[in-house]
Amino acid sequence: MEEKYSAQKIEKKWQNRWAAKGIFETRIDQTKEKFYCLEMLPYPSGRLHMGHVRNYSIGDALSWYKRLQGLNVLHPIGWDSFGQPAEQAAIQKGVNPRDWTEDNINQMREQLRRLGISYDWSREIAAHRPEFYKFDQWFFLKMLEMGLAYRKDSQVNWCPKCETTLSNEQASGGVCWRCGTRVEKQTRQQWFLRITDYAEELLGGMNQIEGGWPERVLTMQKNWIGRSEGAFIDFAVTHTDQKVRVFTTRIDTIYGANAIVVAPEHPVIENNLDDLAPEVIARIQEIQMEQAQPTDYGEEIAKDGVDTGLKAVNPFSSEELPVWVGNYVMIDYGTGAVMSVPAHDERDFEFAKKFGLPIRQVISEPHLVHEHQQMQALALEEAFTEEGILVHSDYWNGKKSRDAKREMAQFAEKHDFGDSAVTYRLRDWGISRQRFWGAPIPIIYCETCGAVPVPFEELPVELPESAPFTGVGESPLAKVPDFVNAPCPQCGGAGQRETDTMDTFVDSAWYYFRYLDPDNRMMPFDPEVAGYWTPVEQYIGGVDHAVMHLLYTRFWTKVMRDMGLVKFDEPVKNLLTQGMVVGESYYSEEHAGYVPQDEVRIERDEKGKITKANLKSDNSPIKVAVEKMSKSKFNGVDPDDMVLEYGADAVRIFALFAAPVENELVWMETGIDGAVRFLQRVYRYFYRWHEHLQNAPSSEPDEFSEGARKLRQKTHQTIKRITENFESGQFNTPVAGLMELSNAMGDFKIEPSEAETGDLFAVREAVESLILMLTPYAPHICEELWEILTGSEEGILTSNARFPVADPDWARADELEIPVQVNGKLRSRVKASPDATNGELEELALADEKIREYTDGKQIVKVIVVPKRLVNVVIK
RNA sequence: GCUGGGGUGGCGGAAUAGGUAGACGCACAGGACUUAAAAUCCUGUGUCCCUUGUGGACGUGCGGGUUCGAUUCCCGCCCUCAGCACCA
C-alpha cells in the first residue's frame, strides 16, 4: 500500500477493472429483488456539466446502496441524441449532424467513465440510431391503428426572412432568435397524438404515485392538465339554423349575459361572412393578427373586439344578445366561444366597460339579496366573481350558486340546449417538427390514397446520410429527392414521404424501456423482460422536466398498457427532482458585464462575511450574486477539470454532501477541499492500521477496553443512522455520519502495535463499516481499501460484501444524559441508564442539586417525563 | 393574479408522530509541529450581559394562539423562489 493517497491512480485502476470485468452489467435473476435506478439521459452536447455530475452522483449512490443490500440493480444510460443543436452545428460549421453527435457521445462517455458512474454500458442506447428510432416509428404506426395519432391544421412559428419554422423557444419575444425578424404564425398540417383522451386518467393516476413524487411536480401536472367542470350551452343564432355553443363554469350567471363573444377563427364568422359588414370583417382580421402575436410572460393584451351584428338567443331568458368577436377568447380552449357576464367575470367586465355594454348583477352576497332584488341596476366597481345567491334570474331567484349550477345544467340537458361538460387545458400533443435531425414520421402521401402509413416491415424509415443544411427554406429532408420520392404502399403510384420528423419528446417518452431489451429487432422490448424490470423504482432528474417529459412518459405508458406491452399504469414509482447547480458570479455595473473571479478582490470581515468586492484593475465595485452556471457569467466549472484536480470521489462526495439533493447547490472550491481532506483522513487512518488489522480476530472477542466499547457503539449507531437516512432519501446526512465515525476513530487514541484483540476487532469493524458505507459516494477509494483489507482482487460486489447491519445492543447508548427543565427551561442534566423507569428519572431529576435550587420552597405542580429524552419540572 | 415550495449562525446545512436548537462541513481566529511555508494535528466560534461561571438573558422571517414545553401545530401578516397565466 502506498503511503500517499493518489486519487488519479486509484480511480483509473478501478475504472479499468470494472470495465474489464463488466461488473455493473445486469441480468434478469428471478431469485433476487430488482431495483431499476434511472437517471434522465443527457443530450450529447459534447461536455458534461455540473448538473449532470450531480444527477448521476445521486443515481450512482443509490445504485450502490441497493446493490450492497443484495438487490439486482439495473442502472443504465443512453443519449437523447436527436434535436436542434446537432442540426445547428451542421448549418454553422458544415459538419454532418451524425458525426457531430457520435463524436460528442464518445467524449461524454469517457467523461462519465472518469467519474466512475456504475452504468451497465452493455445497454447503452442513442435516439438517433435507426435501431432505436425504428420503434418511435413503430409506436407511431400502432397509435395510428389505435386512432391515437391524427393529422390536423395547426399553427407554427414562421420566420419569413429565414423561411423556416421555429420552436416556441426560438421565437421568444415574438422575434426570430437568429435574425430578429418578427415571427409569423403559419398554418400547417401536423401530426398529433391524442393525449387528451387520457387526460382524466393522467389526473386520476396521480393517486398511485402520490408520496413517491414531489408534491410540486404533481401540482404542476394537475395545473397543466387543467380540468375544469362546467356546462356547454347552445345559443341559437337568429335568422339561421346555426348555434353557437359556449363553455361556462358559471351557468348560474347566465341571466347576466350581455353578449356572446367568440374567437376570431370561430366557424360562426366563416359561416355568416355574407351577413357581415366589410369593415367588421377587416376588424376581425386585425383582431386575429393581434392575437397571433406571441407575447412574453406576464404581458396582458388590452381587450379588443368588434360587434359582428349577428344575434344569438339566451336559451334561459330568451333574450337576444349581440355576437362579438373578442381578442381574449381563444379558439382552442373550450368551444372558442363564451357568454360574456361582465358582472361576474373580470375579463368580461373589462370588455363591457371598454365597449359600453350593459352590466347586470345576477349573483348576490347572501346578506344583500333583498337589496339587489329591489334595485334594477347596480353600479359595480369590479366584477363579483364569488358564488352567492341568484337574483334577477326568473325561476332561479334565491337559489344558491352551487345548486343552480347543477339544476340549470340538468334543465339545459332536458330541453336539449346544453350539457354538463368537463374541459381540459391540456392540448393534444403535436409531434411534427420541420427538422432534419429527428425520427422521420413514417407516412407517404399519395394523390389517390392520401396519407398512407409505411408498412411495419419497411421500418425503419431511415434518415438520409446527409442533406442540404442551409437553415432557410423548408426542412432539409424535403430537399433530398431520394428520400422524398417513394411509391405509395397502397396503390404503388408515385408518392411523397412526410418530411417532418418527430418531436424529441417522443424518444424520451419511452427510452428507458429500450434499455431492458436494447437488441430486440422485432419489438421495442419484450413484454416479459419489461415485466421483470419495470416499473422504475427511482427516477432522478431536473425539475425542468416536471411537466412535458414526465407527463408524456406517463401518457406513453398508458398507451403501452392498452397495447398489452406493460401491465401497470404508472411507469415511475419514485421521482427525485434535483436542484440546480449554481456558482458565484461577479457583475460590474461600471463595465456592464460579468467578470471572472480572479479579476475581483474580495474583502471579508473577521467572520468571513464579504464586506467589499472590487475590480482589481480599476477598483470599481462588483456585485456578488449566486446564479445558474454559465459561460457568459464566468461562474461555471468544468467537471473534467474538477475530477483532474480533486478526483472523482471527492467531486462526488461534495456534490452530495453540500446540500440536500432537491435544493440548489452552490459550487464552492473551498467546499470540495473539505471532501478531499475527509478522504485523505480516511486513507491515512487506514494506512496506519492496515497491517495490524490482518491480526484482528474474525469472531467477536469477549472483552473490550473502554475505548473499543465506545468505538463499537459509535460504529453501530452510525450504521443505524445512515441506513435510516438512505431509506428516507437523504444523501447529505450520511456523509456527515461518516465524518463523525471517522472522527470517532481518530479519537480512539491507541497505538496499532499496542492494540489488544478487542481493540483490533473494534477498529476493523469500524474500518469495514466505513468503507462499505462510503462506497456509494466514493467507490474508487473504497474498492482500493477493500482490496488491501481483504487481500482479494475481486472487488466489493464480486466478493458479495453487504451494507453493514447495526447491532441494536451496541447501537444502544449505555448511559444517557437526560436534560432536566424547570418550567420548560433547561437547567441541568442528569446521567441515567437507558433502562431507567419514568419514576427513577423523576427521582434523579428532583434530587439534582441545581434543580433543587429552583424547586426549594416552591410548589411542584407536576413533573413531565419523556422516556429516554427529558424531564420537565413544573413549579409554581 | 392563481398554484406549490421555502425563510434556522458569516455560509451550506442538521434536528420536526411537539421534548437538549445549531450535528457535519466550509470560512474565520488562536495554538502545536517546522529554520520557514504548505500539509497535518489541537482549541475556539449564534447574539448580548455580568460578578468570567458547572452563570444569566435572548435567539429558528414578523405578530398572536394552543401547550408543562413550539423551528415543529393553529390563526393573521411579511419576504422569497419556482411553475402557470386573458382557460371562460
Side-chain angles (χ1 to χ4, degrees):
Chain A
M1 181 183 184
E2 293 189 30
E3 188 178 351
K4 224 172 147 348
Y5 166 55
S6 162
Q8 306 307 332
K9 234 187 222 172
I10 293 174
E11 290 177 4
K12 185 137 212 146
K13 167 180 163 185
W14 284 96
Q15 283 159 16
N16 290 339
R17 205 176 273 188
W18 290 332
K21 289 192 178 175
I23 293 274
F24 306 118
E25 290 175 20
T26 319
R27 265 172 295 281
I28 289 182
D29 181 346
Q30 300 289 355
T31 67
K32 277 181 164 179
E33 191 186 335
K34 65 95 182 179
F35 190 91
Y36 190 175
C37 181
L38 179 69
E39 292 122 43
M40 290 185 185
L41 82 180
Y43 178 80
S45 61
R47 302 295 294 173
L48 232 48
H49 55 68
M50 276 302 167
H52 292 128
V53 172
R54 190 177 196 195
N55 193 170
Y56 308 143
S57 298
I58 297 167
D60 208 37
L62 189 63
S63 297
W64 269 102
Y65 172 68
K66 293 291 178 185
R67 283 189 197 109
L68 286 171
Q69 292 199 317
L71 273 65
N72 194 19
V73 174
L74 175 61
H75 191 215
I77 193 73
W79 310 97
D80 184 20
S81 46
F82 269 142
Q84 288 178 28
E87 201 162 333
Q88 215 46 49
I91 294 165
Q92 280 162 3
K93 298 179 208 152
V95 295
N96 185 297
R98 189 172 285 103
D99 300 341
W100 185 85
T101 301
E102 290 288 354
D103 284 351
N104 286 349
I105 288 176
N106 289 334
Q107 281 180 42
M108 289 176 77
R109 191 189 296 114
E110 280 316 300
Q111 289 188 302
L112 286 175
R113 284 218 162 107
R114 281 197 287 276
L115 268 173
I117 310 288
S118 63
Y119 290 125
D120 179 348
W121 287 102
S122 71
R123 296 173 183 268
E124 180 186 336
I125 56 166
H128 74 284
R129 298 193 185 128
E131 312 88 84
F132 181 90
Y133 69 71
K134 170 179 178 175
F135 295 102
D136 286 338
Q137 296 171 341
W138 187 92
F139 275 119
F140 177 82
L141 293 179
K142 283 282 181 193
M143 289 199 204
L144 207 57
E145 284 180 359
M146 294 164 79
L148 289 175
Y150 67 98
R151 200 162 67 125
K152 73 168 181 192
D153 272 342
S154 168
Q155 289 196 327
V156 294
N157 296 305
W158 177 262
C159 171
K161 188 162 170 227
C162 304
E163 295 185 309
T164 187
T165 52
L166 302 171
S167 67
N168 287 335
E169 296 74 49
Q170 293 172 332
S172 78
V175 293
C176 173
W177 66 312
R178 195 167 331 126
C179 67
T181 310
R182 247 198 125 66
V183 169
E184 295 170 1
K185 294 274 180 180
Q186 217 188 44
T187 303
R188 292 182 68 111
Q189 287 261 297
Q190 309 224 69
W191 288 95
F192 286 82
L193 302 181
R194 287 190 203 279
I195 191 171
T196 52
D197 279 11
Y198 290 82
E200 202 56 50
E201 216 201 315
L202 286 166
L203 219 45
M206 286 185 192
N207 60 32
Q208 288 183 36
I209 47 179
E210 253 164 29
W213 284 42
E215 193 58 41
R216 66 171 163 163
V217 172
L218 293 178
T219 314
M220 278 161 75
Q221 293 208 354
K222 254 175 225 165
N223 293 342
W224 186 267
I225 295 167
R227 187 178 196 275
S228 178
E229 244 174 87
F232 290 138
I233 301 294
D234 294 325
F235 287 68
V237 181
T238 52
H239 312 304
T240 71
D241 55 359
Q242 302 163 28
K243 286 170 178 168
V244 175
R245 170 163 274 213
V246 306
F247 176 69
T248 177
T249 56
R250 292 300 301 274
I251 189 174
D252 55 314
T253 67
I254 198 164
Y255 282 83
N258 65 351
I260 294 300
V261 186
V262 302
E265 301 88 350
H266 196 277
V268 77
I269 305 299
E270 190 100 347
N271 294 340
N272 297 285
L273 269 186
D274 296 344
D275 297 332
L276 301 187
E279 59 272 22
V280 169
I281 296 173
R283 281 286 292 135
I284 293 175
Q285 280 168 352
E286 268 177 47
I287 291 166
Q288 189 170 1
M289 294 286 284
E290 278 170 25
Q291 208 180 27
Q293 294 297 342
T295 51
D296 285 336
Y297 281 150
E299 190 185 334
E300 277 217 4
I301 307 170
K303 300 279 176 293
D304 194 7
V306 61
D307 187 348
T308 61
L310 299 169
K311 305 280 185 211
V313 177
N314 182 335
F316 275 89
S317 65
S318 302
E319 190 183 1
E320 199 169 81
L321 302 174
V323 177
W324 283 65
V325 165
N327 66 343
Y328 70 102
V329 179
M330 287 164 301
I331 189 65
D332 55 3
Y333 182 78
T335 59
V338 303
M339 62 179 200
S340 169
V341 186
H344 304 294
D345 182 282
E346 279 166 26
R347 294 150 302 173
D348 296 339
F349 186 82
E350 193 189 331
F351 193 71
K353 279 274 181 199
K354 176 156 180 182
F355 292 103
L357 299 172
I359 300 173
R360 275 191 317 241
Q361 185 162 3
V362 294
I363 304 291
S364 171
E365 288 165 84
H367 63 281
L368 294 173
V369 170
H370 185 71
E371 210 172 308
H372 280 157
Q373 272 164 349
Q374 303 306 309
M375 278 187 264
Q376 283 302 316
L378 264 165
L380 275 172
E381 296 278 318
E382 55 181 8
F384 175 68
T385 57
E386 277 153 57
E387 300 199 336
I389 307 292
L390 274 69
V391 292
H392 300 300
S393 299
D394 291 350
Y395 168 77
W396 310 92
N397 279 342
K399 288 205 182 280
K400 286 183 189 157
S401 286
R402 219 181 45 191
D403 299 333
K405 279 182 183 178
R406 192 182 59 245
E407 290 171 26
M408 290 171 95
Q410 281 166 0
F411 181 84
E413 208 166 324
K414 195 173 160 199
H415 293 85
D416 220 21
F417 59 81
D419 271 312
S420 318
V422 175
T423 60
Y424 301 91
R425 201 191 82 100
L426 182 70
R427 304 268 69 92
D428 273 341
W429 175 11
I431 58 158
S432 295
R433 294 290 179 275
Q434 293 70 50
R435 299 269 153 220
F436 171 81
W437 199 230
I441 295 173
I443 292 287
I444 293 171
Y445 298 103
C446 166
E447 276 198 21
T448 43
C449 311
V452 182
V454 173
F456 280 95
E457 55 275 17
E458 284 176 29
L459 296 184
V461 175
E462 281 201 48
L463 281 173
E465 269 305 300
S466 190
F469 297 105
T470 57
V472 295
E474 272 191 276
S475 155
L477 266 185
K479 299 173 193 157
V480 183
D482 282 352
F483 177 84
V484 175
N485 297 318
C488 167
Q490 230 163 70
C491 69
Q496 296 201 307
R497 282 192 196 280
E498 168 69 66
T499 57
D500 282 353
T501 52
M502 293 185 210
D503 183 0
T504 54
F505 278 116
V506 169
D507 309 311
S508 56
W510 70 279
Y511 73 97
Y512 52 94
F513 286 88
R514 186 67 183 169
Y515 289 136
L516 313 180
D517 196 8
D519 300 321
N520 197 321
R521 293 166 152 263
M522 303 306 296
M523 302 269 285
F525 55 89
D526 180 340
E528 245 180 71
V529 175
Y532 177 81
W533 285 118
T534 50
V536 172
E537 269 72 26
Q538 183 68 63
Y539 198 16
I540 306 156
V543 73
D544 36 328
H545 295 108
V547 178
M548 310 276 263
H549 163 57
L550 289 167
L551 193 65
Y552 292 146
T553 196
R554 292 181 60 220
F555 158 65
W556 208 274
T557 302
K558 291 169 198 299
V559 173
M560 290 197 295
R561 177 203 58 202
D562 292 346
M563 288 176 181
L565 285 172
V566 299
K567 291 198 170 77
F568 43 82
D569 305 319
E570 293 291 340
V572 172
K573 284 190 190 164
N574 298 290
L575 174 72
L576 195 162
T577 50
Q578 103 240 11
M580 274 197 311
V581 181
V582 296
E584 221 171 53
S585 66
Y586 308 94
Y587 185 80
S588 161
E589 278 183 351
E590 193 99 350
H591 301 275
Y594 287 91
V595 294
Q597 184 179 11
D598 54 15
E599 288 176 24
V600 180
R601 182 176 43 244
I602 291 173
E603 289 173 30
R604 292 168 192 275
D605 63 15
E606 70 278 2
K607 282 181 179 164
K609 192 181 184 180
I610 295 176
T611 50
K612 224 173 161 188
N614 295 90
L615 201 62
K616 279 180 186 168
S617 56
D618 61 6
N619 239 2
S620 60
I622 292 288
K623 271 193 178 164
V624 180
V626 170
E627 299 176 276
K628 186 172 185 178
M629 287 187 168
S630 90
K631 269 183 198 156
S632 60
K633 289 175 182 165
F634 302 104
N635 66 343
V637 277
D638 189 284
D640 251 7
D641 295 346
M642 292 293 117
V643 169
L644 207 67
E645 195 172 344
Y646 303 101
D649 284 341
V651 168
R652 292 171 50 167
I653 286 180
F654 178 66
L656 292 168
F657 176 58
V661 281
E662 62 279 359
N663 284 21
E664 238 178 30
L665 168 62
V666 185
W667 197 269
M668 287 181 307
E669 304 252 340
T670 52
I672 198 169
D673 283 338
V676 175
R677 278 201 281 267
F678 169 59
L679 288 179
Q680 284 174 338
R681 228 176 355 252
V682 169
Y683 191 90
R684 268 198 307 273
Y685 184 88
F686 185 86
Y687 179 79
R688 202 158 73 88
W689 277 93
H690 75 282
E691 280 173 2
H692 304 274
L693 291 182
Q694 305 302 329
N695 306 324
S698 52
S699 59
E700 189 173 323
D702 294 330
E703 284 193 26
F704 293 101
S705 64
E706 182 55 27
R709 290 180 56 84
K710 267 193 164 165
L711 181 58
R712 290 205 69 193
Q713 187 180 320
K714 184 72 185 177
T715 301
H716 286 277
Q717 283 171 347
T718 305
I719 295 169
K720 180 165 180 278
R721 168 181 163 189
I722 289 182
T723 308
E724 284 166 2
N725 289 162
F726 267 121
E727 292 301 326
S728 67
Q730 290 191 67
F731 291 86
N732 55 335
T733 46
V735 180
L738 291 170
M739 288 172 169
E740 278 185 51
L741 178 58
S742 146
N743 291 344
M745 285 156 69
D747 289 343
F748 182 26
K749 298 217 187 302
I750 179 173
E751 272 308 309
S753 53
E754 290 163 15
E756 311 266 333
T757 316
D759 300 333
L760 285 172
F761 184 87
V763 172
R764 180 161 176 132
E765 179 182 62
V767 167
E768 269 185 27
S769 304
L770 180 71
I771 291 174
L772 292 172
M773 291 193 288
L774 182 59
T775 303
Y777 294 89
H780 307 89
I781 189 175
C782 291
E783 287 269 29
E784 181 70 13
L785 299 185
W786 189 256
E787 184 185 4
I788 298 164
L789 187 69
T790 61
S792 156
E793 278 187 25
E794 284 190 358
I796 291 172
L797 284 180
T798 320
S799 66
N800 268 321
R802 287 285 182 272
F803 204 82
V805 178
D807 178 338
D809 286 339
W810 279 99
R812 217 171 59 126
D814 39 25
E815 192 181 52
L816 294 175
E817 256 205 348
I818 304 287
V820 183
Q821 300 178 331
V822 176
N823 284 350
K825 296 206 178 211
L826 180 69
R827 295 301 180 191
S828 182
R829 294 162 213 272
V830 294
K831 297 204 165 154
S833 136
D835 307 315
T837 63
N838 285 5
E840 285 164 352
L841 284 176
E842 180 173 339
E843 225 171 277
L844 275 168
L846 293 176
D848 185 77
E849 212 172 293
K850 268 185 278 174
I851 297 305
R852 290 179 69 165
E853 277 175 35
Y854 285 95
T855 54
D856 264 359
K858 301 278 169 56
Q859 185 197 343
I860 296 173
V861 181
K862 59 175 161 176
V863 179
I864 288 144
V865 180
V866 184
K868 294 185 189 189
R869 305 204 79 150
L870 158 144
V871 178
N872 188 13
V873 182
V874 185
I875 58 171
K876 207 155 66 176

